[in-house]
Amino acid sequence: MDCQNLVFSPKQSKKRIEKAIRVLPSIILRKIIFFSLYLLGARIKTIASLVDIPEVSGKTTIHRVMKDGISAFIDRRQPPKSYVAHIPPQTQQQVFQASVLLEDEYCIILFGDSKHQLKIPLSHKVHLKSVLLSLLLANMLPINEVSSVLDITIAHCRNLAARLKNEDVTEVLIDKRQGQKKDYLVDQNVKADLIQHFVARTITGHSTSSNKLSELINNTEQTNISSRTIRWHINKMGLVKIIKTLPELIQALKKKS
DNA sequence: GTGACAAGAATAATGCCAGG
DNA sequence: CCTGGCATTATTCTTGTCAC
């Protein structure tokens, strides 16, 4: 694989590694990077000094992965252990009445002792945000823990919490991204052309295969739309359903007139 | 606080391929 | 050969980050 044109951003690297390290133990992460760089053709000696793994250990990892697959990234001499996310140490002296810890797929919020706790699935993002930010507003949780668990910056954390004072959860916490709103290849002209050809050919008994239609449309509209896309739009507009009924309807109308 | 940029979510387009 | 289901990639738009 030729990586000569790849540009590596130290800034992005730092950011992404900091994120990954919350989930993967450092040594496993470094082994993965070692193996990836090896696959991409870097010199083993150079990789070893970059990821801070002895050259021989790196070579062992490569051989083990080649032999045993993914499981070889983990030091199998050690008993399997669950990894708890790293939470930066508290800097403030203030005593908080609650604390959070991450366990499997849950965020557990402890109030005083383990008898009073909230267990919220990490996948319930809005719920989790709402509760943690509310506890932050009540001064029951330190902001660095909240921002760490929610994986947002402290500044943004403050921002969201402040907004929650005046706006409802739906305004502040629910994602309103809507994505693409209109077809960008198949515009009105193409659709008109598609319907016209489809109908004319259905009535006259010509083939309405997506291959034929895309060919016709691309010729008149000067486009390069794939037959698969044409099929997708034919289906989306429900045109398939009129293949049988349309000629019958035409016949019926002709008889009446 | 602002604006540029990256990342993430939703949807459109497309590749692949089993089955009619 | 042709269609359509599923998976992947592309595009658009919002959210979040960061430097100033």
Side-chain angles (χ1 to χ4, degrees):
Chain A
M1 202 179 281
D2 188 356
C3 315
Q4 295 305 309
N5 296 325
L6 271 185
V7 179
F8 292 94
S9 154
K11 192 176 133 193
Q12 288 301 330
S13 171
K14 183 168 181 283
K15 197 170 142 190
R16 291 170 190 173
I17 286 177
E18 276 171 8
K19 197 172 179 186
I21 208 114
R22 294 197 189 122
V23 183
L24 295 167
S26 165
I27 182 63
I28 293 179
L29 185 60
R30 283 182 290 138
K31 278 183 185 172
I32 291 171
I33 294 172
F34 198 113
F35 186 67
S36 307
L37 289 173
Y38 166 75
L39 291 188
L40 293 176
R43 289 180 57 184
I44 290 186
K45 201 168 188 176
T46 319
I47 308 172
S49 66
L50 180 71
V51 301
D52 197 22
I53 288 179
E55 200 178 325
V56 283
S57 308
K59 280 183 188 166
T60 305
T61 300
I62 290 167
H63 288 127
R64 288 279 161 246
V65 173
M66 290 299 194
K67 187 166 165 282
D68 300 342
I70 290 178
S71 65
F73 282 117
I74 298 161
D75 188 341
R76 288 164 294 182
R77 294 170 302 183
Q78 306 287 326
K81 50 190 170 188
S82 66
Y83 183 73
V84 176
H86 170 73
I87 292 166
Q90 255 177 255
T91 48
Q92 284 171 288
Q93 290 303 309
Q94 190 182 346
V95 181
F96 294 96
Q97 295 154 26
S99 60
V100 290
L101 73 114
L102 300 183
E103 196 180 283
D104 300 329
E105 304 299 306
Y106 291 90
C107 170
I108 297 170
I109 304 160
L110 296 164
F111 299 94
D113 54 49
S114 58
K115 282 181 186 167
H116 300 88
Q117 65 175 46
L118 259 176
K119 194 175 174 186
I120 302 173
L122 289 173
S123 57
H124 295 186
K125 288 177 182 163
V126 176
H127 186 188
L128 192 60
K129 270 187 178 175
S130 172
V131 170
L132 291 180
L133 290 171
S134 298
L135 291 173
L136 172 67
L137 281 174
N139 223 10
M140 292 175 73
L141 276 177
I143 195 162
N144 53 355
E145 283 194 24
V146 176
S147 78
S148 169
V149 173
L150 295 180
D151 196 21
I152 55 178
T153 59
I154 287 177
H156 193 50
C157 219
R158 278 203 193 92
N159 204 354
L160 290 178
R163 284 182 60 195
L164 271 182
K165 286 181 186 172
N166 301 316
E167 298 168 70
D168 196 356
V169 172
T170 48
E171 291 303 311
V172 183
L173 303 182
I174 292 183
D175 200 318
K176 294 186 252 321
R177 282 180 275 202
Q178 294 182 2
Q180 194 179 315
K181 281 187 172 166
K182 61 170 187 160
D183 304 337
Y184 56 92
L185 275 184
V186 179
D187 61 15
Q188 281 190 323
N189 291 334
V190 176
K191 277 179 189 153
D193 214 24
L194 172 57
I195 293 169
Q196 182 163 269
H197 276 122
F198 188 92
V199 169
R201 297 180 72 86
T202 299
I203 295 168
T204 54
H206 287 76
S207 160
T208 55
S209 80
S210 53
N211 264 331
K212 188 68 197 170
L213 289 169
S214 64
E215 189 188 319
L216 289 166
I217 288 163
N218 286 331
N219 272 334
T220 49
E221 300 293 325
Q222 296 294 303
T223 50
N224 189 23
I225 297 167
S226 73
S227 57
R228 182 69 189 88
T229 300
I230 294 298
R231 283 206 292 286
W232 192 75
H233 280 277
I234 287 174
N235 268 302
K236 196 178 161 195
M237 291 191 280
L239 292 180
V240 179
K241 292 175 183 168
I242 65 171
I243 289 182
K244 270 193 171 181
T245 53
L246 186 60
E248 293 167 8
L249 179 62
I250 302 271
Q251 285 305 317
L253 287 173
K254 273 185 182 170
K255 276 181 193 169
K256 277 188 184 174
S257 61

